[in-house]
């Protein structure tokens, strides 16, 4: 299932309607069992050059995937068309004829989420079913692995004995007919995902399969690696804990909701994720699988709760969802929970707008006690006080965005659906620059910054490594502060 390959192409070098108050709200929070919350700091020690491990979606629990070192080489610049990518310069008429519609392109050939970068290698998932290992300096493809289904997880790279493995999940977003009809049945448990689904562990040097763990439901969300365990929720209503070296099942915990795009995060020894049907936020003990708490906010629209990957900083976990606001319209809501017990601390309605297609929410990122996010409903970027949810600034950019921003003071880098990367002032929200990439837009893909290069994949199957000096050219505020 692994092949060494040559690349197919040589790499080439606001104001929105806001509601600052909270309306009447009746959340239901259930503390399943008392537990002692322990564990190491959320962000592990990193080596001087690039992350020695990649343990979760967005590198860390705050989803700000940034690692830099002023004494190391500057970021490399290249562009790579992954196999099957939409050709450069393709017209919309041709794209629609070839792929049915623009929206479905990412599901066939796009890079669905953020990449990981470890020891000079970029590991990138692709909805064409392959994981690619790419040289971070040159953009050359080193090897590929075929998972026989879409890969929507950020690849994890971890291992406690000096022999790290790569961990990915395979699965798709479809429902079989027998499962789809259950949405109309009260208290039914729905399974999402068809075809071959599972978690795979690979050799970092060759991409060869070390072990696999098949599951009934899809494995689209990114797992968490913690203390020798791979922990993940998936499409069959369970959260799993596997031995990271062998793939052996350690525990399996039922939550009934299916976890689709809500990659897990970690607060000490608690693994936290959102799920759908019913819409809730869940925390399980990484050691035993025991559900510690679950919270079910009222009025969540459609699958929006499960479309967002929650982020954690301090004792606060934040996520985004939608509430119905009339025919074809929705209210975009940001909410903060106490990570220790699931209690809702604050809720902020960001604004109202048309219901966006699929993946209905933007992923948050946290830096310095400030929550940065966007809303595909209001087409606006936001900064909120993490402690109380107060909006510090908002900037309407008039284009949808779903990815977590990347923050390196004084900059916020925000990838958007039209293929632009907005460079904002992190203190005021002012747009300093709009960088145009040109090979497809960005959906839930978060950018990764490692050693002064921003690395991101597009909906059209292109992978970029953009030097920060290129993104910030002409902005007279000095270099980023890591």
């Amino acid at each position: 299932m692994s092949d060494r390959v040559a690349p197919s192409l040589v790499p080439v070098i606001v104001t929105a309607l806001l509601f600052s108050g909270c309306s009447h709200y009746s959340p239901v929070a259930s503390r399943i069992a008392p537990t002692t919350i322990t564990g190491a700091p959320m962000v592990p020690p990193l080596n001087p050059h690039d992350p020695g491990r990649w343990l979760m979606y967005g590198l860390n629990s705050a989803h700000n995937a940034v690692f830099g070192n002023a004494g190391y080489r500057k970021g490399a610049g290249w562009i790579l068309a992954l196999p099957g990518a939409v050709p450069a310069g393709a017209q919309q008429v041709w794209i629609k004829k070839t792929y049915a519609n623009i929206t479905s392109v990412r599901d066939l050939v796009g890079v669905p989420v953020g990449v990981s970068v470890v020891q000079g290698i970029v590991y990138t998932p692709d909805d064409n079913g392959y994981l690619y290992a790419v040289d971070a300096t040159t953009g050359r493809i080193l090897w590929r692995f075929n998972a026989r289904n879409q890969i929507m997880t950020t690849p994890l790279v971890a291992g406690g004995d000096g022999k790290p493995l790569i961990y990915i999940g395979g699965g798709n977003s479809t429902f079989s007919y027998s499962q789809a009809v259950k949405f109309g049945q009260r208290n039914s448990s729905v399974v999402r995902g068809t075809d071959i689904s599972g978690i795979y562990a690979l050799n970092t040097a060759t991409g060869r399969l070390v072990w696999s763990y098949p599951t009934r439901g899809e494995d689209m969300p990114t797992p968490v690696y913690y203390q020798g365990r791979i922990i993940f929720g998936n499409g069959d209503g369970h959260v799993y804990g596997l031995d990271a070296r062998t793939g052996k099942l350690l525990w399996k915990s039922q939550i009934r909701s299916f976890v689709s795009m809500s990659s897990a995060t970690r607060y000490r020894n608690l693994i936290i994720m959102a799920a759908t049907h019913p819409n809730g936020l869940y925390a399980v003990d990484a050691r035993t699988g025991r559900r510690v708490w679950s919270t079910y906010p009222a009025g969540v629209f459609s699958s929006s709760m499960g479309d967002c990957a929650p982020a954690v900083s301090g004792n606060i976990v934040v996520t985004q969802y939608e509430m119905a606001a009339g025919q074809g319209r929705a209210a975009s809501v940001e909410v903060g929970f106490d990570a220790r017990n699931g209690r809702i601390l604050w809720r902020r309605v960001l604004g109202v707008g048309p219901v966006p297609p699929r993946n209905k929410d933007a992923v948050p990122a946290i830096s310095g006690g400030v929550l940065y996010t966007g809303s595909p409903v209001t087409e606006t970027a936001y900064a909120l006080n993490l402690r109380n949810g107060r909006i510090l600034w908002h900037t309407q950019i008039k284009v949808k965005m779903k990815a977590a921003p990347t923050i390196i003071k004084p900059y916020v880098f925000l990838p958007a659906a039209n293929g632009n990367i907005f460079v904002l002032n992190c203190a005021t929200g002012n747009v300093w620059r709009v960088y145009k990439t040109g090979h497809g837009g960005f959906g839930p893909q978060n950018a990764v910054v490692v050693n002064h290069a921003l690395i991101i994949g597009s909906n059209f199957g292109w992978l970029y490594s953009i030097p920060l000096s290129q993104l910030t050219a002409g902005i007279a505020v000095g270099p980023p502060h890591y």
Side-chain angles (χ1 to χ4, degrees):
M1 297 174 77
S2 170
D3 302 289
R4 289 187 175 275
V5 297
S8 60
L9 292 179
V10 177
V12 189
I13 309 297
V14 181
T15 303
L17 176 62
L18 298 174
F19 298 86
S20 58
C22 293
S23 59
H24 177 69
Y25 192 56
S26 301
V28 179
S30 57
R31 258 72 63 187
I32 302 302
T35 189
T36 302
I37 300 174
T38 62
M42 289 180 288
V43 182
L46 303 173
N47 71 32
H49 301 312
D50 65 21
R53 301 179 292 173
W54 204 280
L55 306 185
M56 65 186 73
Y57 170 91
L59 179 61
N60 51 56
S61 294
H63 295 338
N64 191 27
V66 172
F67 182 82
N69 184 282
Y72 196 51
R73 65 185 177 217
K74 300 302 180 182
W78 46 261
I79 304 172
L80 171 66
L82 295 167
V86 175
Q91 300 299 308
Q92 283 205 11
V93 173
W94 181 88
I95 295 172
K96 289 180 180 179
K97 182 178 179 180
T98 304
Y99 299 99
N101 58 67
I102 298 294
T103 304
S104 64
V105 174
R106 196 197 80 209
D107 289 345
L108 298 171
V109 298
V111 178
V113 292
V115 303
S116 53
V117 185
V118 175
Q119 299 299 327
I121 306 297
V122 179
Y123 298 101
T124 179
D126 198 311
D127 273 336
N128 66 9
Y130 283 89
L131 170 73
Y132 297 97
V134 178
D135 188 298
T137 302
T138 66
R140 182 172 66 91
I141 297 177
L142 304 175
W143 53 256
R144 64 184 178 187
F145 170 82
N146 186 358
R148 312 297 183 189
N149 207 337
Q150 294 173 296
I151 304 175
M152 301 191 195
T153 60
T154 295
L156 306 185
V157 184
D161 57 1
K163 297 179 180 179
L165 297 176
I166 304 163
Y167 304 94
I168 59 169
N172 59 42
S173 59
T174 60
F175 296 90
S176 65
Y177 176 79
S178 63
Q179 297 299 317
V181 297
K182 291 184 178 180
F183 281 102
Q185 301 171 5
R186 189 174 182 178
N187 298 324
S188 61
S189 180
V190 177
V191 176
R192 186 174 198 176
T194 59
D195 303 322
I196 299 171
S197 300
I199 300 293
Y200 306 95
L202 314 176
N203 182 289
T204 56
T206 65
R208 297 199 177 278
L209 182 67
V210 175
W211 57 256
S212 63
Y213 184 87
T215 58
R216 184 185 178 199
E218 47 73 21
D219 293 292
M220 296 189 293
T222 303
V224 168
Y225 178 98
Y226 180 60
Q227 294 187 342
R229 300 173 178 89
I230 294 294
I231 303 160
F232 61 98
N234 78 341
D236 67 13
H238 294 84
V239 182
Y240 295 80
L242 306 181
D243 184 293
R245 297 306 306 173
T246 66
K248 178 183 176 182
L249 178 65
L250 301 176
W251 51 258
K252 180 179 177 181
S253 178
Q254 186 181 62
I255 59 173
R256 293 189 65 81
S257 302
F258 61 84
V259 185
S260 51
M261 295 306 297
S262 182
S263 295
T265 190
R266 181 169 72 84
Y267 170 74
R268 298 185 181 273
N269 62 292
L270 301 184
I271 308 301
I272 302 172
M273 66 200 73
T276 301
H277 193 68
N279 291 292
L281 191 69
Y282 300 88
V284 301
D285 190 317
R287 301 161 301 188
T288 64
R290 176 182 296 178
R291 196 195 315 178
V292 177
W293 56 258
S294 55
T295 301
Y296 304 90
V300 177
F301 175 76
S302 184
S303 63
S304 64
M305 190 81 182
D307 287 340
C308 187
V312 175
S313 182
N315 295 331
I316 300 177
V317 55
V318 291
T319 193
Q320 187 178 111
Y321 63 84
E322 292 177 29
M323 297 178 66
Q327 184 66 34
R329 295 178 66 78
S332 186
V333 182
E334 205 76 25
V335 60
F337 303 79
D338 189 318
R340 297 165 295 188
N341 54 35
R343 181 172 64 89
I344 291 179
L345 302 174
W346 53 261
R347 189 190 70 145
R348 189 68 57 198
V349 178
L350 302 177
V352 174
V355 175
R358 307 189 313 168
N359 308 106
K360 299 176 179 61
D361 299 285
V363 176
I366 305 169
S367 178
V370 178
L371 160 65
Y372 299 89
T373 192
S375 168
V377 172
T378 65
E379 299 186 344
T380 298
Y382 301 89
L384 286 75
N385 182 299
L386 178 63
R387 183 176 56 83
N388 57 27
R390 181 171 64 89
I391 296 175
L392 304 176
W393 55 254
H394 59 275
T395 301
Q396 190 173 44
I397 62 174
K398 298 182 180 180
V399 62
K400 289 179 171 48
M401 80 297 288
K402 299 176 181 178
T406 304
I407 306 99
I408 315 175
K409 293 182 178 179
Y411 304 102
V412 175
F413 302 100
L414 185 66
N418 61 359
N420 292 340
I421 298 175
F422 289 81
V423 184
L424 309 179
N425 180 330
C426 74
T428 66
N430 291 342
V431 178
W432 272 333
R433 189 177 182 208
V434 180
Y435 183 91
K436 298 182 179 181
T437 57
H439 299 289
F442 304 108
Q445 306 94 324
N446 63 293
V448 168
V449 173
V450 174
N451 295 316
H452 309 281
L454 182 146
I455 305 172
I456 190 170
S458 80
N459 289 341
F460 283 9
W462 290 72
L463 188 64
Y464 301 88
S465 179
I466 308 169
L468 290 185
S469 58
Q470 188 173 326
L471 280 167
T472 60
I475 305 174
V477 295
H481 306 303
Y482 288 92

